[in-house]
Amino acid sequence: MRIRVPITPLVNKIHTPSKVILLALFAAALLAPLPYVLIAPSIPDDVLGKLISIDGVPTFQDRAKDKAIKSRLFITSVLVTNRNSYISGGEILLNWVSGSAAVLPHSSIYPPQKTEAQVSAENTADMKNSQFEATAAALKYLGYNLKSAVEITDVKTESDAFEKLLKSDRIVSVAGTRITKASDIRDALRAKKVGDLVEITIARKNLTFLVKLMANTEGAPVIGIFVNNSYDFPISVKFNLERTGGPSGGLIFSLGIIEKLTPEDLLHGRKVAGTGTIDAAGNVGPIGGINEKLIGAAKAGATIFLAPAANCIDLTHIPKGLQVIPVKTLTEAVSALRNENPATISGCK
């Protein structure tokens, strides 16, 4: 026997004053600011336009066989709410349900131990270093022989190195270790402790300074400087990209330089987008915000997306009509573009 029991909404059983209080609390919860940030797709930029300018050698324009079809090579990015943005519970819930933006803990983007100025400075330094590395990777791929050095881009005022080491100084050695790339500094300090004095030699008049090591935000010993890998490039490559930071544009920067410097048509009139860090050796590394970048690429009309192979595991949804091709190196990326039918290439599943 089935017994029908009338269903009465719970809220109807609550006395009116209590109901008002409950609704007020619910509304307050939706409006209350919470410690989260939103990451949303941004409009991609075409690096084949004026974003990359090259002087000193001939460059090549769009070479699609059908002149009515213009090739595009998009660098993708994301929009991140700023440190003091008011993000309510309602906004978080709406974005989570709609999938229009990723919701991340505030501390994952803005570490509490760092000021907004510090985060901004690091992002700017990462972008500049990414452009140097991308240029080096592209020129090495094209057969150029490059000389490299590690250059100081900034010195923290609280560092013992402040007013000793200067911006644009090139580091020759740290604690007796020859420095040829930025990661050599970390290796040279691996056995040191905070408070240790180390010798730092720079190319400026071959000066050597004794510098006391300070602690970084994780408590590890550091000099207190920002550096990037600097190269003596035989040609001038400039990037005209403002209000964007971080290292994730490296792969597309490299591909844009190669496309502009070689008569070969890699794009064949297609709209290609991508992301990924890159080093001077051409190794492609993972980035954040991959899913939002896919959405931005699809909205821009891209049909191919070059992604770091290490990011395949992070994909939650691939927009319809967009093929994601995983790459580990710049060489793999170029090979993928040379194939006019990339459907034959295994992609991220």
Side-chain angles (χ1 to χ4, degrees), residues 83 110 115-126 245-246:
R83 192 183 197 104
Y110 301 107
T115 65
E116 187 168 1
Q118 288 175 321
V119 173
S120 178
E122 289 178 6
N123 285 335
T124 300
D126 283 343

Side-chain angles (χ1 to χ4, degrees), residues 253-293:
F253 284 145
S254 289
L255 291 172
I257 293 169
I258 292 172
E259 178 72 0
K260 288 196 169 194
L261 287 180
T262 57
E264 180 185 5
D265 181 13
L266 293 176
L267 298 178
H268 308 292
R270 298 170 296 182
K271 292 182 178 180
V272 177
T275 188
T277 65
I278 202 164
D279 63 21
N283 298 305
V284 177
I287 52 79
I290 183 71
N291 292 291
E292 289 68 42
K293 290 178 180 179

